[in-house]
Amino acid sequence: MNVLVAYGSKNGSTAGIADMIVAALQAEGLVAQARPAADVRSVDEYDVVVLGGALYAGRWHRDARVFARRHIKALLGRPVWLFSSGPLDDSADIGEIPPVAQVAKVLERLGAVEHVTFGGRLTEDAGGFIAKSIVRNGKGGDFRNQERIADWVHTIAARLRAGTPAAK
């Protein structure tokens, strides 16, 4: 299985999660590659797609949304998983966070297997006035849970091996 992990990331947190997903997929014996969603021109060479986007003010990263629209026909023919990153606390680890409206729409349109939200990361090197203000006010940090990400990937790999990836 050849897996694409495409992502939309502003300050690198979601890109880091994509890299963690790739490492976990490779540990499961799958071939995987992380690429910025905006750079992907075709998904033809991939059997499976994992698409993620950062959340900002309740909106999914534009590159993830555009990727889903641009590749909808090809994505309908393969298993797709979605993830979001963003909460700057442990809420993503405590309970399942429902997808924001934009993600729910993509989930339905693509018939994606599932969506999960992971904690985000916002550090002093973040760009933008709002991000810098959040960090200055002590609300930044790294809330990505690598163990939870690896567990999710293990579930994906098990479903792929069993030949039952999608509940479409």
Side-chain angles (χ1 to χ4, degrees), residues 84-101:
S84 298
S85 70
L88 296 175
D89 56 27
D90 63 356
S91 61
D93 292 339
I94 293 172
E96 190 57 40
I97 297 174
V100 297

Side-chain angles (χ1 to χ4, degrees), residues 3-157:
V3 184
L4 169 64
V5 181
Y7 61 87
S9 185
K10 181 175 180 179
N11 288 305
S13 176
T14 308
I17 291 172
D19 290 340
M20 291 177 204
I21 291 170
V22 166
L25 287 165
Q26 290 171 342
E28 292 281 347
L30 298 167
V31 176
Q33 175 184 35
R35 294 182 56 200
D39 293 350
V40 177
R41 298 295 165 238
S42 171
V43 297
D44 291 345
E45 67 185 273
Y46 302 100
D47 304 301
V48 178
V49 174
V50 177
L51 174 60
L55 294 172
Y56 294 99
R59 296 181 57 85
W60 210 33
H61 195 283
R62 180 182 186 280
D63 291 350
R65 295 189 323 260
V66 169
F67 177 94
R69 277 194 312 271
R70 179 183 299 141
H71 301 288
I72 188 166
K73 287 182 183 176
L75 293 172
L76 288 170
R78 55 189 39 87
V80 176
W81 276 266
L82 305 177
F83 74 92
S84 298
S85 70
L88 296 175
D89 56 27
D90 63 356
S91 61
D93 292 339
I94 293 172
E96 190 57 40
I97 297 174
V100 297
Q102 291 173 326
V103 177
K105 191 180 291 187
V106 171
L107 186 67
E108 183 180 331
R109 285 184 179 160
L110 297 181
V113 179
E114 73 176 332
H115 168 268
V116 66
T117 299
F118 298 115
R121 180 194 73 181
L122 194 61
T123 58
E124 293 175 356
D125 61 340
F129 174 77
I130 294 173
K132 288 183 184 301
S133 176
I134 290 169
V135 173
R136 248 191 329 272
N137 289 316
K139 303 289 186 184
D142 191 345
F143 298 93
R144 298 172 300 175
N145 182 333
Q146 193 164 358
E147 184 177 319
R148 183 165 175 254
I149 292 165
D151 288 346
W152 184 63
V153 170
H154 178 73
T155 302
I156 291 171

